Amino acid sequence: MVMSVMLVVEATYNCVVSLGVKVIGWRPEWRFKWEPLAGADEEKGTGEYPMVMVQIPMYNELEVYKLSIGTACELNWPKDRIIVQVLDDSTDPFIKNLVELECESWASKGVNIKYAIRSSRKGFKAGALKKGMECDYAKQCEYIAIFDADFQPEPDFLLRTVPFLMHNPDIALVQARWAFVNDTTSLLTRVQKMFFDYHFKVEQEAGSATFAFFSFNGTAGVWRTTAINEAGGWKDRTTVEDMDLAVRATLHGWKFVYVGDIRVKSELPSTYGAYCRQQFRWSCGGANLFRKMAMDVLIAKDVSLLKKFYMLYSFFLVRRVVAPMVACILYNIIVPVSVMIPELFLPIWGVAYIPMALLIITAIRNPRNLHIMPFWILFENVMTLHRMRAALTGLLELSGFNQWIVTKKAGNNFEDNVVPLLHKTKKRLRDRVNFLEIGFSVFLILCASYNLIFHGTTSYYFNLYLQGIAFLLLGFNFTGTCACCQ
């Protein structure tokens, strides 16, 4: 109950701040100086334009490599003031050769593009980014823009973001918002979009507007090279190297800016398994980083006491630990078990009013998705099981806490049909069926049936049946891909 109160207070605070920002029309330009880059023809490469490097880390990205490299090479910036660096960790020789040929093709068009590989994948994405910054040409660049392989920035991305860094020497990062090319493909992608919309509209907006601090999203952002180096560079000690760098930079006094008006197209995980692995990595890494950096935040000298409280309590404790714990333990375990234990009393405000408050808070910031809300509630209820397991794994550093699995891309916006796709492999039974979800569905349906027959003073069976059905459907990997659900 205490944890649920902590969660609703945190959500309410963030929602109030983000709503206030929207109502008054607050923009980052009100707080930080921003002026457009003027001057002569951009092709002349005037000295007003700083040197920028665009990093594209990739790993066997057959479906999207052309798209990501192409959009980066077409950014509006003087050709002699930009370097595109493709960090290819691919293990498939065929894909590796295709990526290298694509880089050579753009180089022949006059683009300053570098193809970089490593002898091993040590450190995964963080290791690749760190290796890329050790190159001699990288040391000439004042700013580093980072895009994952499925991200497609608009040509004016640098023209809209870099001025924040140029005119404000205390800013380390400018983060843009994600947009999605496949958000209407299925119910799975629709509910994912609601999750990410809440993250950007509420959490990122509130953090930027109040403390100029939030977690770097790992892509669609521009960093000041000095800030990265001062913070200690990229580290591979957790699976959230982006959050790790953001926290360390903040402890050195740097500020961040989130610009929601700038959107970068990307791709949502198209399968339930891929989304679960992505969420496990993020939840596990966030909880593990809390364990590693709590003391560093406490003793930091360049951070105010109020900001320390925000980072430790709101950013880490509530979001990375309390949120997944209370959602899973209370609604998936305690409430179902309570129907068989009459002596167990659960106050109405804990099992009804607080969930309703959280639902209203989410609905306020997603008014266009009200028709998807019931599916989102049930889907998130299932996901709490994975997030709680991930949070405990990271917090206690259990087996697999530092495991990294790259999210497979489908290439929804890929138009070049000449490039062959990877052959599909036969799925084993355990890949087609999720036994954990099916087991929980049986448990919930049994509890619901017991409550229906011996309901006593509590009647949770309707909700429990819905939860059990949601677990069952996702247990068999049904994610709304049939025509009637799209």
Side-chain angles (χ1 to χ4, degrees):
M1 293 295 111
V2 172
M3 293 170 71
S4 64
V5 172
M6 293 168 62
L7 181 59
V8 76
V9 170
E10 160 69 9
T12 303
Y13 163 77
N14 285 327
C15 185
V16 168
V17 173
S18 65
L19 274 177
V21 167
K22 183 176 179 63
V23 168
I24 66 175
W26 186 89
R27 299 172 60 84
E29 292 85 347
W30 293 10
R31 181 175 182 181
F32 300 102
K33 184 179 179 182
W34 187 95
E35 292 180 2
L37 287 170
D41 185 3
E42 290 180 8
E43 296 298 328
K44 296 180 181 179
T46 59
E48 181 182 358
Y49 290 84
M51 199 72 182
V52 177
M53 182 169 73
V54 179
Q55 290 185 308
I56 310 175
M58 56 176 58
Y59 172 74
N60 292 337
E61 308 286 1
L62 178 62
E63 291 78 12
V64 294
Y65 77 94
K66 271 196 171 185
L67 197 61
S68 60
I69 294 174
T71 53
C73 292
E74 292 173 348
L75 288 169
N76 290 337
W77 204 256
K79 300 301 180 184
D80 61 337
R81 307 298 293 173
I82 185 172
I83 300 173
V84 177
Q85 185 187 58
V86 178
L87 302 166
D88 190 11
D89 272 359
S90 300
T91 54
D92 189 318
F94 174 70
I95 300 176
K96 215 167 192 174
N97 184 56
L98 288 176
V99 175
E100 186 174 10
L101 289 174
E102 184 69 11
C103 293
E104 291 176 356
S105 174
W106 281 102
S108 66
K109 299 175 184 178
V111 177
N112 189 1
I113 184 169
K114 308 291 184 181
Y115 177 71
I117 58 175
R118 299 188 293 160
S119 57
S120 71
R121 289 192 66 223
K122 184 181 182 301
F124 306 109
K125 180 180 175 180
L129 294 171
K130 181 179 180 180
K131 185 71 174 180
M133 292 195 65
E134 292 174 355
C135 299
D136 292 335
Y137 57 83
K139 298 174 183 178
Q140 308 168 12
C141 301
E142 296 179 57
Y143 309 114
I144 309 290
I146 302 172
F147 300 103
D148 282 350
D150 59 314
F151 278 71
Q152 308 161 40
E154 295 295 327
D156 63 349
F157 178 85
L158 294 178
L159 294 174
R160 299 179 67 184
T161 54
V162 172
F164 280 109
L165 296 164
M166 292 178 61
H167 300 304
N168 303 275
D170 57 343
I171 291 180
L173 165 69
V174 180
Q175 173 71 59
R177 183 176 171 180
W178 296 2
F180 308 103
V181 298
N182 63 333
D183 58 335
T184 59
T185 303
S186 65
L187 275 175
L188 174 65
T189 57
R190 287 177 185 272
V191 296
Q192 284 183 67
K193 183 178 183 297
M194 284 193 64
F195 170 82
F196 284 109
D197 281 350
Y198 178 84
H199 169 67
F200 283 105
K201 286 182 180 179
V202 179
E203 295 178 340
Q204 299 295 75
E205 190 75 77
S208 177
T210 52
F211 294 99
F213 165 74
F214 49 84
S215 174
F216 174 45
N217 292 116
T219 178
V222 186
W223 275 92
R224 187 186 300 274
T225 307
T226 306
I228 295 178
N229 295 331
E230 187 177 310
W234 294 100
K235 295 184 179 181
D236 59 0
R237 57 181 179 171
T238 72
T239 55
V240 285
E241 75 294 325
D242 42 15
M243 186 186 298
D244 187 2
L245 178 61
V247 173
R248 285 186 282 115
T250 298
L251 298 186
H252 282 80
W254 292 99
K255 296 180 180 179
F256 304 158
V257 177
Y258 166 70
V259 189
D261 292 339
I262 304 176
R263 305 192 180 198
V264 181
K265 292 186 292 185
S266 62
E267 181 182 321
L268 290 165
S270 55
T271 66
Y272 175 64
Y275 183 63
C276 286
R277 288 190 291 271
Q278 181 195 72
Q279 291 298 302
F280 184 91
R281 173 163 54 88
W282 290 353
S283 299
C284 179
N288 186 243
L289 185 64
F290 178 36
R291 169 183 174 138
K292 285 181 165 63
M293 295 217 64
M295 186 56 64
D296 292 337
V297 175
L298 280 173
I299 64 177
K301 297 179 180 179
D302 297 327
V303 181
S304 67
L305 187 61
L306 184 60
K307 193 169 184 177
K308 287 181 182 180
F309 176 79
Y310 173 78
M311 294 176 69
L312 288 173
Y313 176 80
S314 177
F315 181 77
F316 274 123
L317 180 61
V318 177
R319 297 187 203 173
R320 318 299 164 192
V321 179
V322 169
M325 297 286 186
V326 67
C328 184
I329 294 176
L330 181 58
Y331 304 114
N332 288 336
I333 298 177
I334 294 179
V335 171
V337 169
S338 70
V339 303
M340 294 182 283
I341 307 177
E343 295 81 8
L344 179 58
F345 171 73
L346 298 178
I348 187 67
W349 59 264
V351 296
Y353 297 158
I354 283 183
M356 183 60 67
L358 290 172
L359 176 61
I360 293 172
I361 289 169
T362 305
I364 288 174
R365 300 303 286 128
N366 289 279
R368 297 181 180 179
N369 296 313
L370 289 177
H371 60 296
I372 304 293
M373 195 69 68
F375 301 103
W376 175 81
I377 295 170
L378 293 171
F379 181 79
E380 284 296 302
N381 189 61
V382 178
M383 287 306 302
T384 58
L385 184 64
H386 296 280
R387 294 194 183 111
M388 184 188 74
R389 185 168 65 91
L392 288 174
T393 300
L395 202 61
L396 304 177
E397 293 194 346
L398 303 177
S399 175
F401 80 94
N402 209 18
Q403 184 181 13
W404 181 291
I405 300 177
V406 176
T407 304
K408 180 67 178 174
K409 315 299 189 305
N412 295 67
N413 218 24
F414 195 79
E415 299 177 353
D416 190 348
N417 296 321
V418 177
V419 179
L421 298 177
L422 295 173
H423 296 290
K424 292 183 178 180
T425 57
K426 290 185 177 180
K427 292 184 178 180
R428 295 169 294 180
L429 179 62
R430 68 180 182 182
D431 295 324
R432 289 185 279 116
V433 177
N434 304 307
F435 292 103
L436 181 62
E437 282 84 344
I438 292 177
F440 247 87
S441 73
V442 172
F443 164 71
L444 290 168
I445 290 173
L446 286 175
C447 290
S449 300
Y450 183 92
N451 188 221
L452 179 62
I453 299 171
F454 309 104
H455 57 270
T457 57
T458 60
S459 298
Y460 299 137
Y461 59 86
F462 182 75
N463 290 336
L464 295 178
Y465 272 128
L466 288 177
Q467 290 175 226
I469 293 172
F471 271 96
L472 186 64
L473 291 175
L474 290 175
F476 287 103
N477 280 308
F478 176 77
T479 53
T481 53
C482 65
C484 65
C485 295
Q486 292 181 9

